[in-house]
């Protein structure tokens, strides 16, 4: 299941982030009439269609795995939040319909009507993610149902999860992560082309758009992360303690940067500690008491090493992307645009950052899922009680792994084919800052 989710998550993120970016560049084309914006929108639309199809296959595999591997979990989850999967299905079908209209409607729809189809794709893609996150938020804080002594489930409020702040925090945080991942990946891909000499409006617009979308979201992400972390502090003390490597219950708990949990000794070694920092971030009070893992039964601890390490990876990479954003746009403003793309070290940094958003996204979901263990539904059902009792799942694992290998290879081959024409018909250097490009970041 972890392999399936890690694979599918990349395509889900692209399905949310890339339509948003192609809507931006097509809007720039409608505003300025410059053809390279239209070429970008057409290229990104093809990539969106391709990865949407691959994601649909991996998503279908996930739906099969839910039924095959987690029958006891589905017995509870189905009646309570099954409608969220249904809503996600509606959003998926709307997205599929309008991707078709967008791909084949360039010469058949009015320019504004075609752009509006892209807007629907971007919105429905985001909504699809939000509904799935509703299910995951319910797994973190299960609400809206009761169980009798025999285990029978009675739904008391099908809208209960939407009334929980945790769903909003998770949805916003995850959606921003998708925009960050795709934005920096796009900027990195086209920065590679720029470094190889493809210095045209087409590559310039792609780099600027990617850095604008990814950078703005990277700067906003700490705000959503802070709200989500405070919610975890209030509702999942074991996860919060594992994330921060907090073993002791204490006031003025320090904020730890880095380090490796020493479970046997009950401390986190080699960490840079800021006194009172964790208490302040958790409760806006540097004297607040932060519960440690010592207050929780040992058999209810998550994997402390993995949870803490992945949390540090997520925060560390997010910080690097914020610093890169500041560097890029400071250079852009200081040198009136052109200087940012003439700084080869800066462009090499943009290229190096291309995979960082996706790595941070995967690390964040490992924190979310591993940090909840040993519960599959927090406080209601243990993972060991939810999984299938059938033991011969090895061949199934091999089969699905081979499926993902084939899908990954197919994706790489087709993306390389789409990349083959990433130059303007008559490439040429452009002025340092044109009025059309100056409008893109806004």
């Amino acid at each position: 299941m972890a392999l399936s989710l890690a694979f599918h998550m990349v395509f889900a993120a692209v399905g949310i982030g890339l339509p948003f970016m192609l809507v931006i560049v097509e809007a720039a084309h409608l505003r300025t009439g410059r053809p390279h914006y239209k070429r970008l929108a057409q290229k990104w639309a093809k990539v969106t269609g391709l990865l949407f199809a691959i994601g649909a296959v991996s998503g279908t595999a996930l739906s099969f795995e839910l039924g095959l591997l987690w029958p006891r979990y589905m017995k509870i989850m189905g009646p309570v939040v099954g409608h969220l999967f249904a809503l996600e299905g509606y959003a998926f079908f709307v997205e599929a319909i309008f991707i078709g209209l967008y791909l084949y409607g360039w010469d058949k729809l009015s320019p504004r009507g075609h752009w509006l189809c892209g807007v629907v794709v971007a919105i429905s893609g985001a909504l699809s993610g939000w509904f799935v996150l509703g299910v995951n938020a319910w797994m973190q804080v299960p609400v809206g149902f009761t169980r009798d002594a025999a285990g029978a489930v009675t739904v008391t409020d099908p809208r209960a999860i939407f009334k929980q702040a945790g769903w909003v925090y998770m949805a916003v945080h995850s959606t921003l992560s998708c925009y960050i991942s795709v934005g920096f990946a796009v900027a990195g891909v086209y920065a590679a082309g720029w470094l190889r000499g493809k210095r045209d409006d087409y590559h310039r617009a792609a780099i600027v758009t990617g850095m604008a979308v990814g950078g703005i979201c990277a700067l906003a992400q700490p705000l959503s992360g802070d709200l989500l972390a405070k919610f975890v502090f209030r509702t999942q003390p074991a996860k919060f303690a594992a994330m921060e490597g907090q073993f002791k219950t204490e006031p003025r708990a320090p904020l730890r940067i880095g380090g490796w949990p020493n479970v046997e000794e009950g401390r986190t070694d080699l960490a840079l500690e800021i006194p009172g920092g964790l208490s302040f971030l958790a409760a806006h009070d540097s004297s607040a008491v932060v519960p440690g893992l010592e207050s929780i039964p040992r058999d209810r601890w998550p994997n402390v090493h993995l949870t803490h390490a992945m949390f540090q990876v997520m925060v560390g990479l997010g910080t690097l992307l914020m610093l890169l954003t500041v560097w890029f746009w400071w250079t852009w403003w200081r040198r009136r645009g052109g200087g940012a793309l003439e700084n080869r070290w800066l462009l090499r940094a943009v290229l190096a950052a291309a995979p960082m958003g996706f790595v941070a996204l995967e690390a964040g979901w490992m924190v979310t899922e591993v940090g909840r263990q040993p519960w599959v539904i927090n406080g209601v059902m243990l993972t060991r009680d939810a999984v299938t009792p059938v033991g011969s799942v090895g061949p199934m694992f091999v089969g699905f792994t081979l499926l993902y290998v084939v899908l990954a290879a197919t994706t790489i081959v087709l993306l390389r084919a789409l990349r083959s024409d990433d130059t303007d018909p008559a490439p040429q250097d452009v002025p340092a800052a044109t009025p059309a490009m100056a409008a893109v970041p806004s």
Side-chain angles (χ1 to χ4, degrees):
M1 197 69 182
L3 174 68
S4 301
L5 284 168
F7 183 86
H8 179 71
M9 196 174 301
V10 174
F11 298 93
V14 173
I16 292 172
L18 196 55
F20 178 65
M21 292 181 61
L22 69 85
V23 163
I24 292 174
V25 293
E26 188 178 2
H29 170 67
L30 294 177
R31 187 172 64 250
T32 67
R34 302 194 64 179
H36 61 276
Y37 289 126
K38 183 176 181 179
R39 289 189 61 235
L40 272 177
Q42 290 173 328
K43 175 58 64 67
W44 293 352
K46 292 177 182 178
V47 175
T48 298
L50 167 64
L51 298 186
F52 179 84
I54 301 294
V57 176
S58 61
T60 301
L62 271 172
S63 67
F64 279 118
E65 289 174 0
L66 278 174
L68 291 172
L69 299 177
W70 305 97
R72 296 167 178 171
Y73 161 73
M74 294 294 289
K75 187 176 181 180
I76 297 178
M77 186 279 292
V80 184
V81 290
H83 60 295
L84 298 185
F85 279 125
L87 291 172
E88 189 273 339
Y90 283 120
F92 172 84
F93 287 127
V94 170
E95 184 180 9
I97 290 167
F98 279 87
I99 282 177
L101 291 172
Y102 192 88
L103 285 172
Y104 299 103
W106 284 99
D107 301 320
K108 299 176 177 63
L109 300 171
S110 68
R112 185 172 295 275
H114 184 266
W115 177 77
L116 288 173
C117 287
V119 172
V120 175
V121 173
I123 293 174
S124 57
L127 284 176
S128 180
W130 278 54
F131 289 131
V132 170
L133 284 162
V135 177
N136 195 275
W138 174 81
M139 292 165 66
Q140 313 296 325
V141 184
V143 292
F145 72 102
T146 60
R147 296 174 72 193
D148 61 22
V153 175
T154 300
V155 179
T156 58
D157 185 358
R159 297 176 299 173
I161 191 58
F162 295 122
K163 302 173 185 178
Q164 289 286 328
W167 168 66
V168 178
Y169 299 152
M170 287 185 65
V172 171
H173 193 70
S174 181
T175 304
L176 288 176
S177 297
C178 295
Y179 293 152
I180 292 168
S181 302
V182 176
F184 280 99
V186 166
V189 167
Y190 287 91
W194 189 274
L195 288 168
R196 290 196 301 266
K198 299 178 180 179
R199 302 192 170 191
D200 48 47
D201 283 342
Y202 178 80
H203 284 75
R204 176 187 293 264
I207 295 169
V208 171
T209 304
M211 288 302 299
V213 172
I216 291 172
C217 293
L219 295 175
Q221 188 68 301
L223 300 177
S224 72
D226 179 67
L227 292 172
L228 182 56
K230 286 179 169 59
F231 183 80
V232 172
F233 171 70
R234 296 192 300 269
T235 59
Q236 294 176 278
K239 178 190 288 188
F240 187 84
M243 287 163 47
E244 302 290 352
Q246 182 71 27
F247 287 91
K248 297 180 179 179
T249 300
E250 59 182 340
R252 293 191 57 80
L255 177 65
R256 296 174 180 84
I257 301 174
W260 186 251
N262 186 332
V263 177
E264 291 73 21
E265 301 294 332
R267 65 173 186 268
T268 299
D269 298 326
L270 306 175
L272 174 64
E273 296 189 352
I274 302 174
L278 183 58
S279 292
F280 182 80
L281 290 177
H284 289 300
D285 180 3
S286 59
S287 299
V289 175
V290 176
L293 288 167
E294 67 178 10
S295 64
I296 299 163
R298 184 65 179 267
D299 63 350
R300 295 295 184 263
W301 288 16
N303 185 318
V304 182
H305 294 108
L306 187 58
T307 304
H308 179 73
M310 290 300 100
F311 181 71
Q312 296 295 314
V313 168
M314 178 186 69
V315 174
L317 291 178
T319 302
L320 289 177
L321 294 177
M322 289 175 59
L323 294 174
L324 177 59
T325 298
V326 173
W327 182 15
F328 183 91
W329 289 109
W330 169 256
T331 306
W332 181 276
W333 173 81
R334 187 180 180 186
R335 301 187 182 181
R336 301 299 186 267
L341 300 184
E342 297 306 320
N343 187 328
R344 295 185 67 84
W345 284 108
L346 176 54
L347 286 180
R348 289 188 184 109
V350 173
L351 174 58
M356 288 184 183
F358 284 105
V359 175
L361 177 66
E362 297 278 5
W365 275 104
M366 290 181 73
V367 172
T368 300
E369 298 305 295
V370 176
R372 189 183 63 246
Q373 300 304 317
W375 302 99
V376 65
I377 305 174
N378 190 37
V380 174
M381 175 175 281
L382 294 167
T383 303
R384 68 186 183 205
D385 297 329
V387 74
T388 177
V390 177
S392 56
V393 296
M396 180 180 174
F397 173 71
V398 172
F400 277 103
T401 300
L402 291 175
L403 169 66
Y404 299 138
V405 170
V406 171
L407 290 176
T410 303
T411 302
I412 292 170
V413 170
L414 293 177
L415 286 179
R416 288 178 65 87
L418 286 174
R419 193 186 66 175
S420 62
D421 62 343
D422 267 349
T423 54
D424 281 330
Q428 59 182 355
D429 289 338
V430 294
T434 64
M437 286 310 305
V440 171
S442 64

